[in-house]
Amino acid sequence: DLTTDLGHGVLLPNPVLTASGCAANGKELHRLEDIAKIGAFVTKSVKRDPQSGRGTPRMAETPSGMLNSIGLQGPGIHAFVEHDLPWLRSVGARAIVSIAGESSAEFAEVARALVAAPDFDATVAAIEVNISCPNVANRGLVYACDPASSAEVLRLVVPEVPRSTPLFAKLTPDVTDITVIAEAALSAGAQGLTMINTLLGIRIDTERMRPHLFGLTGGLSGPAIRPVAVRAIWQVYAAMRAGRIPTAPIIGVGGVRTGEDALELTLAGASAVQVGTAIFNDPLAPWRVARELGDLLHARGIPRYADVVGVAHDH
Ligand code: RRO
């Protein structure tokens, strides 16, 4: 039984989701396999206005991961609500919509427009509040690097969203103590956490002897950051167990490519797991990872996925 509970009545039939930004808004992926069968489809972060993103090149490969500096390219919330959300509904997908903004007021505005959409109740299982994009200069600040800024975004978004739609704050690993940010987001009303966004990096082209990415820095994803994700989930889950911060469901993300990887994040404390960069090499990865995870639990005689969440802490 792969059912997982994300709180506030949100039950997913399986815990394997897509990661934001890695499969746009689902249309290409759905040509290959039914996205209604994914635990939930997580959309590319959407802002208020259409956005073309950063200059190119904005991708760089490394031996164990990928660096991106997309810069929040997207259609804006009004086109999203008009085209993407009805499409997600028409194929029966459970969607987690990722929202972003360059001010806390913009986050609230995006949330308001999303909640007002005719397809909202039928389609949106949860909202991911992306306070951790490394590629947008909010006057040099990534919200999730600062507890007060993280709390401010959540405080403005919470009143816009019905209680039945949990808000997951997406955190960055680029902080000294991620439990401080987790506490700020949860105390300001986030009902769950997604960990982690990409890790800030730079690549230099040794032929040209210049930085490779047009925007200089990018976010590192893929196998390289899996131990960082496991560490972040571990620290926050441990703080919850110890009663140091409020308890809430965690969605794990970072370098998951196999069912075993998904199990690792789960054992650290994640109640669901997103597959991101792996999709670029294997578009069917989310479905495969769910199958592998099921087989792995079955082979170990574990009847329910929910029984292994965080159990590595019982040592
Ligand atoms: O669009 C991006 O450049 C981007 C975003 Br919003 C994010 O949250 N994480 C990332 O690695 N890239």
Side-chain angles (χ1 to χ4, degrees):
D1 176 9
L2 287 180
T3 309
T4 195
D5 185 351
L6 293 184
H8 298 264
V10 178
L11 285 179
L12 302 181
N14 84 70
V16 181
L17 327 179
T18 53
S20 179
C22 296
N25 290 330
K27 286 193 180 131
E28 283 178 65
L29 212 51
H30 190 68
R31 275 190 224 120
L32 303 174
E33 182 63 273
D34 183 1
I35 64 166
K37 292 192 182 134
I38 298 175
F41 183 87
V42 185
T43 65
K44 169 77 181 162
S45 295
V46 61
K47 297 175 68 182
R48 183 184 52 215
D49 302 320
Q51 192 92 43
S52 54
R54 277 191 178 172
T56 55
R58 49 190 196 181
M59 297 278 241
E61 307 239 7
T62 79
S64 56
M66 201 181 83
L67 211 55
N68 87 82
S69 66
I70 304 302
L72 263 168
Q73 181 181 12
I77 188 64
H78 299 292
F80 177 84
V81 155
E82 199 173 326
H83 303 294
D84 297 288
L85 208 54
W87 180 82
L88 285 161
R89 181 180 188 173
S90 74
V91 299
R94 281 168 297 279
I96 295 180
V97 176
S98 173
I99 64 170
E102 287 190 54
S103 66
S104 41
E106 185 181 343
F107 275 92
E109 216 179 303
V110 173
R112 195 176 315 134
L114 177 62
V115 168
D119 303 296
F120 179 79
D121 288 334
T123 312
V124 182
I127 295 175
E128 196 167 85
V129 186
N130 185 6
I131 53 175
S132 51
C133 175
N135 298 328
V136 176
N138 302 302
R139 286 153 287 135
L141 172 74
V142 173
Y143 298 97
C145 287
D146 174 57
S149 306
S150 302
E152 187 187 296
V153 173
L154 269 304
R155 265 200 303 273
L156 290 191
V157 172
V158 165
E160 304 292 345
V161 179
R163 294 283 295 172
S164 51
T165 310
L167 292 170
F168 282 77
K170 187 164 181 181
L171 306 188
T172 174
D174 279 312
V175 288
T176 310
D177 184 351
I178 198 165
T179 68
V180 171
I181 310 297
E183 156 147 59
L186 293 170
S187 300
Q191 290 124 337
L193 301 169
T194 303
M195 288 182 289
I196 53 176
N197 209 316
T198 50
L199 188 65
L200 205 64
I202 292 178
R203 281 220 65 195
I204 294 172
D205 180 336
T206 53
E207 281 295 320
R208 289 172 48 247
M209 301 203 279
R210 293 286 180 275
H212 174 80
L213 292 172
F214 181 85
L216 182 60
T217 56
L220 181 65
S221 61
I225 67 163
R226 200 173 74 242
V228 181
V230 172
R231 180 270 297 169
I233 296 162
W234 182 281
Q235 288 176 328
V236 169
Y237 192 81
M240 288 175 179
R241 269 172 62 118
R244 284 188 279 121
I245 65 173
T247 298
I250 296 169
I251 299 177
V253 51
V256 171
R257 216 191 44 196
T258 66
E260 206 176 327
D261 300 340
L263 180 59
E264 189 184 9
L265 271 61
T266 302
L267 293 170
S271 295
V273 172
Q274 298 177 347
V275 177
T277 303
I279 292 175
F280 292 101
N281 269 321
D282 174 12
L284 299 180
W287 296 269
R288 176 179 52 74
V289 169
R291 217 166 41 240
E292 290 173 358
L293 179 61
D295 291 348
L296 199 54
L297 295 176
H298 183 73
R300 297 190 189 180
I302 300 162
R304 284 175 303 273
Y305 170 78
D307 293 342
V308 294
V309 172
V311 303
H313 291 259
D314 296 336
H315 60 282

